[in-house]
Amino acid sequence: MESQSMAHPGSPGWRGPTAQCMAGTKPKVPAPGPELSSVGPEEHSDAHSSLSSNSSMTTRELQEYWRTRKCRWRHVKLLFEIASARIEERRVSKFVMYQIVVIQTGSFDSNKAILERRYSDFEALQKKLLKTFPEEIEDVVFPKKHLMGNFTEEMISERKLALKEYLSLLYAIRCVRRSREFIDFLTRPELKEAFGCLRAGQYTKALDILVHVVPLQEKLTAHCPVMLVPTLCAMLVCHRDLERPAEAFAVGERALQCLQARESHRYYAPLLDAMARLAYTLGKDFVSLQERLEESQLRKPAPRGFTLKELTVQEYLC
């Protein structure tokens, strides 16, 4: 548990035999790691300058760094299909639910995303985008609403094609496909449900949802991997509380790769702390993780913050 005594092995206050031997020596402060906010081959020269000042990176970290950058240089292209539609009747409403299938083109995609949205969800997206990108989407045609005939087979088929075209046109506009509005439309309902399950202690159900939504969120946020961190940390918390430390540690490593050297990020210190505890439990190298946390706190002292679980349960509250 993250609330263990400060003197317990693996806790922030416990240095361990290796750290105790180093007591009295001035800790080496590594140069800041490369930032991941920039994208594209045009920043290749900036990347070289970042690496030249980051000699503390290991060979594995350098390989992972370049692999990440190369993946981001290649634009991930997604194909949208409206696979089916069904009429749903509730006590006071009746509407059509459209099934959206999102597939990555250019290669075999075993992680295609399947989600459902109703016409009012598309309509809400259009209103938000018109506020943020009025000029960029002025030529994008949004399927009009009809007062009559919305539930006929002919109208549903026509709207399926129109909504598919609408999503494809939006995705073709760079600023739109990278916008919070577009990404939220495709991922937020599922993420909100998953984080609600986490808050309720339904960790297995939360994981089932996250496992399906993470591949799509990863593709949509390739330009800014740090956006994936809260979701990965939620998976870590679920695995850890289900007593699956190995799975929790593996997903935590992915989250750390997304964060890189962003020490100011609100998840950085809590994630390192959780990873050090997991490493100790698994018999892995927890000392280096503990040292990274201590060095970060030496550079920028801060009062006690939230634990990783306390942070994750606050996501998607509204």
Side-chain angles (χ1 to χ4, degrees):
M1 294 292 292
E2 290 175 339
S3 59
Q4 292 174 337
S5 168
M6 298 293 283
H8 192 279
S11 68
W14 190 76
R15 293 176 172 269
T18 304
Q20 287 172 357
C21 291
M22 295 173 62
T25 63
K26 187 177 181 180
K28 289 178 68 177
V29 180
E35 288 291 340
L36 290 181
S37 57
S38 58
V39 293
E42 65 273 11
E43 276 123 15
H44 198 175
S45 60
D46 291 339
H48 277 298
S49 62
S50 295
L51 285 178
S52 64
S53 64
N54 199 30
S55 57
S56 62
M57 292 179 74
T58 64
T59 301
R60 186 177 65 83
E61 288 173 334
L62 285 169
Q63 291 173 342
E64 181 60 37
Y65 169 70
W66 282 115
R67 190 179 300 116
T68 301
R69 294 194 70 89
K70 287 178 181 178
C71 287
R72 293 174 62 210
W73 292 347
R74 295 193 298 269
H75 167 49
V76 176
K77 295 182 180 179
L78 301 181
L79 176 69
F80 298 87
E81 292 286 347
I82 307 296
S84 63
R86 59 183 175 83
I87 298 174
E88 186 162 321
E89 293 191 56
R90 297 183 181 174
R91 184 172 298 179
V92 294
S93 63
K94 181 180 179 181
F95 54 87
V96 180
M97 190 69 81
Y98 297 92
Q99 186 187 75
I100 308 169
V101 179
V102 188
I103 306 173
Q104 183 175 337
T105 63
S107 62
F108 175 72
D109 186 7
S110 60
N111 288 317
K112 66 180 180 181
I114 301 175
L115 50 139
E116 288 190 325
R117 298 292 183 268
R118 51 192 291 188
Y119 177 83
S120 59
D121 295 324
F122 285 92
E123 194 174 34
L125 170 63
Q126 175 69 0
K127 289 178 180 178
K128 291 176 182 177
L129 292 176
L130 280 172
K131 288 182 180 179
T132 311
F133 308 104
E135 295 181 1
E136 289 82 356
I137 69 167
E138 62 181 356
D139 294 327
V140 176
V141 178
F142 182 74
K144 293 182 180 179
K145 198 170 190 175
H146 297 276
L147 296 177
M148 302 289 290
N150 287 305
F151 303 105
T152 64
E153 186 176 339
E154 181 182 0
M155 178 58 68
I156 291 174
S157 296
E158 181 183 318
R159 186 163 282 174
K160 280 170 58 181
L161 292 173
L163 291 174
K164 171 190 171 181
E165 180 70 10
Y166 173 69
L167 288 176
S168 298
L169 289 172
L170 290 180
Y171 185 76
I173 305 171
R174 178 175 174 173
C175 61
V176 173
R177 70 170 174 262
R178 293 185 171 188
S179 68
R180 173 66 69 178
E181 292 86 353
F182 187 74
I183 295 171
D184 279 354
F185 169 77
L186 293 169
T187 60
R188 186 177 178 85
E190 288 74 18
L191 287 173
K192 189 171 182 179
E193 181 183 2
F195 278 81
C197 292
L198 188 156
R199 281 189 290 274
Q202 300 172 353
Y203 303 121
T204 301
K205 186 177 179 181
L207 275 173
D208 287 341
I209 300 170
L210 292 172
V211 164
H212 287 93
V213 72
V214 161
L216 175 59
Q217 190 185 19
E218 194 170 24
K219 293 165 187 171
L220 291 167
T221 61
H223 62 286
C224 185
V226 74
M227 294 174 69
L228 194 64
V229 170
T231 308
L232 293 175
C233 287
M235 293 181 71
L236 183 156
V237 170
C238 289
H239 280 303
R240 186 189 61 189
D241 286 13
L242 287 170
E243 298 183 357
R244 301 172 184 168
E247 290 87 344
F249 190 83
V251 77
E253 286 188 314
R254 288 180 62 192
L256 283 176
Q257 289 170 5
C258 291
L259 276 177
Q260 291 290 333
R262 293 173 181 259
E263 296 185 7
S264 61
H265 195 280
R266 68 187 189 283
Y267 273 89
Y268 186 81
L271 177 58
L272 275 179
D273 180 66
M275 288 292 285
R277 296 174 190 278
L278 285 168
Y280 178 79
T281 301
L282 293 167
K284 294 180 179 288
D285 175 21
F286 67 91
V287 175
S288 61
L289 290 164
Q290 193 71 38
E291 287 175 347
R292 282 177 65 181
L293 178 59
E294 291 171 357
E295 288 166 359
S296 173
Q297 291 171 339
L298 282 173
R299 283 191 289 271
K300 190 176 180 181
R304 180 195 176 276
F306 292 107
T307 64
L308 195 66
K309 188 171 185 178
E310 288 170 341
L311 269 182
T312 54
V313 298
Q314 293 180 51
E315 300 284 350
Y316 298 94
L317 281 172
C318 57

